[in-house]
């Protein structure tokens, strides 16, 4: 019991060392797919995959999200996020709930590296059943509104996995049984940290 109490005291002392304990973030995401791999079964249940090619305007994935973040150390924060996203080519619209970890790698600046993991919850189950998003990003301040309010630019790479069991066919083949869609994308995000 003493061991657990000692660990708790050490963690609380680290938490107490951060000056401003929490901050909020609101952002707009724009992304362009690098690859889209579609997995499906046919009539004999063999697994097939095809790469879906994009044409036209490539920034076709949009998102709005909001996060609450807590500094656990002076340069490291954890947070929760929620948002709404849309893939205009596949006509996927979903809510995203998840968490994030952010490391401020330049002392007393807003430059940061972030990892985000979220659950994609479909608004239309005919499009996809569920999904997972993994995002890695680098953030840079582009304008300081006040000491505690910054406009940021994030550059990111993300992967979205969509489970398609029982969803609509993407290719329209007669014996197509949808299984999964994996999308890798690059993007940028305009953020307000406050």
């Amino acid at each position: 019991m003493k061991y657990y109490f000692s660990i708790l005291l050490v963690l609380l002392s680290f938490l107490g060392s951060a000056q401003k304990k929490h901050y909020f973030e609101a952002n707009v995401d724009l992304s362009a797919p690098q690859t889209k791999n579609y997995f499906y079964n046919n009539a004999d249940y063999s697994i097939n995959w095809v790469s879906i090619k994009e044409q036209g305007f490539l920034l076709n994935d949009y998102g709005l999200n909001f996060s609450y973040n807590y500094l656990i150390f002076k340069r490291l924060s954890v947070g929760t996020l929620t948002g709404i996203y849309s893939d205009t080519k596949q006509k996927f619209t979903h809510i995203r709930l998840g968490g994030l970890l952010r490391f401020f790698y330049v002392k007393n600046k807003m430059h940061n590296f972030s990892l985000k993991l979220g659950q994609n919850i479909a608004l239309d189950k005919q499009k996809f059943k569920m999904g997972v998003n993994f995002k890695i990003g680098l953030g840079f301040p582009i304008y300081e509104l006040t000491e505690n309010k910054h406009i940021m630019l994030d550059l990111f790479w993300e992967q979205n996995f969509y489970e398609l069991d029982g969803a609509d066919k993407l290719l329209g083949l007669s014996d197509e049984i949808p299984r999964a869609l994996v999308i890798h994308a690059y993007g940028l995000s305009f953020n307000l940290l406050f």
Side-chain angles (χ1 to χ4, degrees):
M1 185 66 169
K2 276 186 177 181
Y3 176 73
Y4 293 114
F5 186 69
S6 299
I7 290 175
L8 181 61
L9 284 177
V10 169
L11 287 174
L12 287 175
S13 69
F14 280 127
L15 291 175
S17 67
Q19 293 175 352
K20 184 183 175 192
K21 299 286 190 202
H22 61 88
Y23 62 95
F24 299 95
E25 176 187 28
N27 63 22
V28 176
D29 286 351
L30 305 169
S31 62
Q34 175 191 12
T35 60
K36 286 188 175 186
N37 294 319
Y38 174 50
F39 297 86
Y40 65 95
N41 293 122
N42 57 16
D44 64 359
Y45 290 97
S46 62
I47 297 173
N48 300 284
W49 78 272
V50 63
S51 181
I52 297 175
K53 301 294 181 192
E54 294 293 339
Q55 295 182 3
F57 188 59
L58 292 179
L59 288 176
N60 60 9
D61 296 347
Y62 306 96
L64 298 170
N65 70 48
F66 180 81
S67 68
Y68 170 78
N69 304 274
Y70 188 84
L71 287 160
I72 56 174
F73 301 109
K74 288 183 181 180
R75 291 182 168 189
L76 184 68
S77 68
V78 295
T80 60
L81 65 90
T82 183
I84 185 160
Y85 287 81
S86 179
D87 178 330
T88 58
K89 294 291 185 184
Q90 266 64 60
K91 297 182 174 52
F92 290 172
T93 302
H94 52 85
I95 294 170
R96 183 172 296 156
L97 300 174
L100 66 104
L101 184 66
R102 180 174 282 122
F103 175 69
F104 296 94
Y105 60 87
V106 177
K107 190 174 182 179
N108 300 323
K109 302 287 184 186
M110 298 304 292
H111 299 264
N112 66 81
F113 171 76
S114 63
L115 294 173
K116 299 177 182 180
L117 183 63
Q119 180 77 38
N120 295 332
I121 302 166
L123 296 179
D124 181 356
K125 298 290 186 184
Q126 292 300 104
K127 299 294 181 182
F128 74 95
K129 297 303 176 190
M130 58 161 278
V132 177
N133 171 268
F134 175 72
K135 186 182 293 186
I136 300 171
L138 283 173
F140 309 95
I142 56 177
Y143 188 74
E144 184 176 331
L145 297 169
T146 67
E147 185 181 345
N148 295 322
K149 292 182 184 174
H150 297 84
I151 296 176
M152 306 284 293
L153 174 67
D154 278 8
L155 305 174
F156 64 83
W157 175 88
E158 70 177 341
Q159 175 180 293
N160 279 294
F161 171 84
Y162 297 103
E163 181 185 314
L164 302 177
D165 290 338
D168 292 340
K169 300 174 181 180
L170 292 184
L171 302 177
L173 304 174
S174 60
D175 63 347
E176 174 186 350
I177 303 169
R179 291 299 178 211
L181 179 66
V182 180
I183 301 173
H184 298 109
Y186 291 105
L188 54 91
S189 179
F190 296 98
N191 308 339
L192 174 62
L193 264 64
F194 57 99

